[in-house]
Amino acid sequence: MAERALQYTALPYQPMSYLAPHQRDLPSPTLFIVQQYQEMMGRRPMPPKWSHTFPEHYLPRMNELAAKHDCVKHSMIALAAFVHARVTSSDLSNNVLHRHSMYATSILRGEVERFTPHNAEAIMTASMTLASQAQDWKQWTVYNDGFFTVLRYAQNSMLRSLFPTRVRTFDFQMLNFHGATTQPSCGTTRAINSDPQKDASAISQSLTNIKETATPTEWSCAGFDSLTLVVQSVQAALAMTDERHQYHGLALLRSWMFWMDSPILDDGDMMARLMLLHFYATVLVAATAFPPVYAEFLTRQCLALIFRLRIEMNSLGYEVSVQLFDLFGGLLEQDDTCLSGSIEDISG
């Protein structure tokens, strides 16, 4: 499975130095899983400049919500068990996952039925956390749709929330992804090359070409070594014929898309821009595997981001001639009103 490609290492148990309030009544085996999950997440492939992830950034507030709302508490414990089980195939982790996921889902239903401004944040947090441990696209879509529904209500009602309406440094993070369910269809996904495996191989070859010309420091600091693992996981996933296996095979890509905070780039940081360019192209290739409405949104978003990066790099005197523009250049040249809208939304 894709998570094993992350090369996580199970660590010996050591008592946690700090326990959040919702963790203090957990039995020792469950605490052990939570600790190992935290260690595993610290060892996942990640570009050096992408120093924060969404859960880490908001963890104190999420812990507060978990202390007050059991749907958040159990969803966070289930997430730890999910990652641990995927990496270790531990029966104990699977048991903890199923138990806490069942509790979280059941309690979340009750919270939704009693929805008020006071539990909106808890519903969003639990829904987002459960989506990240979904077993297939159907579950993933259900939890995401619930998250976006409550988020739109919170925005329209101007409720104070853990989740701001826009986080401009997050290109694919879920806070902006709710546009997927509201924007009109342009059929952009169908216009992409019909051979995503071939396109993924072209991206991999482009990375190889860059590695041959970049210094080891440039390669590592820009995060190309981590991105290469993501591209390899996408190539393996796209080769799978079973939809469920393919869903799990894209887990590493989804974690980059929805949980990581991409950096604000310095004007002269061309290698970082090249890395982002290849990341956006990788998402663009993998978008065809997502549920249709999300695939449509991702396609528009990726094309707009690639277009923006090309303009930036050319304006800074860097002649962009990588294979990615050969792959998608035709689409980038189209006078597509939906694509134009995406570009304005990102840059506006």
Side-chain angles (χ1 to χ4, degrees):
M1 290 299 179
E3 284 83 354
R4 293 201 180 100
L6 307 191
Q7 301 176 350
Y8 292 139
T9 304
L11 302 173
Y13 175 73
Q14 296 178 352
M16 296 175 67
S17 58
Y18 169 76
L19 294 178
H22 72 279
Q23 297 170 339
R24 293 170 188 169
D25 61 346
L26 297 177
S28 295
T30 305
L31 278 177
F32 168 72
I33 290 170
V34 172
Q35 179 204 22
Q36 290 227 316
Y37 157 74
Q38 293 173 346
E39 297 282 357
M40 289 170 180
M41 295 305 289
R43 292 165 178 252
R44 67 202 179 286
M46 182 176 178
K49 293 185 179 181
W50 294 24
S51 56
H52 296 97
T53 65
F54 180 79
E56 290 166 345
H57 185 73
Y58 290 110
L59 185 58
R61 178 56 179 152
M62 293 173 75
N63 284 338
E64 288 180 21
L65 290 171
K68 298 176 181 177
H69 300 274
D70 283 346
C71 62
V72 179
K73 168 185 174 178
H74 290 294
S75 68
M76 291 177 68
I77 296 169
L79 176 60
F82 172 78
V83 173
H84 193 274
R86 299 289 297 172
V87 175
T88 66
S89 300
S90 162
D91 289 338
L92 172 63
S93 300
N94 276 309
N95 290 337
V96 172
L97 164 63
H98 293 147
R99 183 168 66 254
H100 286 276
S101 179
M102 180 181 66
Y103 291 159
T105 302
S106 175
I107 298 169
L108 179 61
R109 289 196 189 102
E111 293 281 4
V112 171
E113 290 173 0
R114 298 185 300 273
F115 176 79
T116 70
H118 301 292
N119 69 356
E121 261 190 329
I123 292 173
M124 286 189 283
T125 303
S127 297
M128 183 178 65
T129 308
L130 286 167
S132 67
Q133 58 195 270
Q135 297 294 325
D136 52 37
W137 287 119
K138 182 178 179 180
Q139 280 189 3
W140 184 84
T141 301
V142 167
Y143 288 127
N144 281 338
D145 285 350
F147 170 84
F148 302 138
T149 298
V150 179
L151 178 61
R152 282 194 293 272
Y153 171 82
Q155 292 170 343
N156 294 336
S157 304
M158 301 185 69
L159 296 178
R160 293 189 62 186
S161 172
L162 168 69
F163 307 99
T165 56
R166 289 189 62 85
V167 180
R168 290 191 177 276
T169 58
F170 286 56
D171 288 326
F172 290 111
Q173 204 279 329
M174 280 188 180
L175 303 182
N176 286 337
F177 203 56
H178 69 281
T181 59
T182 59
Q183 295 189 28
S185 172
C186 303
T188 329
T189 308
R190 293 188 295 275
I192 294 181
N193 191 314
S194 59
D195 192 347
Q197 291 185 53
K198 180 180 177 181
D199 291 345
S201 296
I203 293 170
S204 181
Q205 182 60 51
S206 181
L207 290 174
T208 299
N209 295 342
I210 292 173
K211 189 174 185 179
E212 291 175 352
T213 59
T215 67
T217 300
E218 288 175 333
W219 174 265
S220 177
C221 288
F224 282 111
D225 47 357
S226 298
L227 179 62
T228 298
L229 293 177
V230 176
V231 174
Q232 290 171 351
S233 72
V234 169
Q235 286 182 281
L238 292 177
M240 297 174 181
T241 55
D242 182 271
E243 185 178 277
R244 186 184 179 92
H245 290 164
Q246 187 179 74
Y247 168 82
H248 286 296
L250 293 173
L252 179 56
L253 178 69
R254 287 196 306 274
S255 73
W256 275 45
M257 291 166 62
F258 304 130
W259 294 89
M260 287 193 182
D261 181 6
S262 58
I264 298 175
L265 302 176
D266 297 329
D267 284 350
D269 201 344
M270 291 301 174
M271 292 300 287
R273 283 179 170 79
L274 267 181
M275 195 279 286
L276 278 176
L277 197 66
H278 285 73
F279 170 58
Y280 298 150
T282 303
V283 178
L284 182 59
V285 167
T288 54
F290 281 70
V293 66
Y294 294 97
E296 191 76 30
F297 172 82
L298 285 172
T299 299
R300 289 194 304 268
Q301 191 85 331
C302 287
L303 291 173
L305 288 164
I306 291 172
F307 185 90
R308 182 188 69 183
L309 267 178
R310 182 176 65 172
I311 292 174
E312 282 184 12
M313 295 172 77
N314 286 340
S315 68
L316 293 170
Y318 189 94
E319 185 64 30
V320 178
S321 58
V322 294
Q323 281 178 287
L324 305 184
F325 292 128
D326 293 334
L327 285 172
F328 309 117
L331 281 174
L332 292 171
E333 297 299 333
Q334 289 182 7
D335 182 18
D336 189 304
T337 56
C338 290
L339 176 57
S340 299
S342 297
I343 295 170
E344 290 171 3
D345 181 60
I346 291 170
S347 59

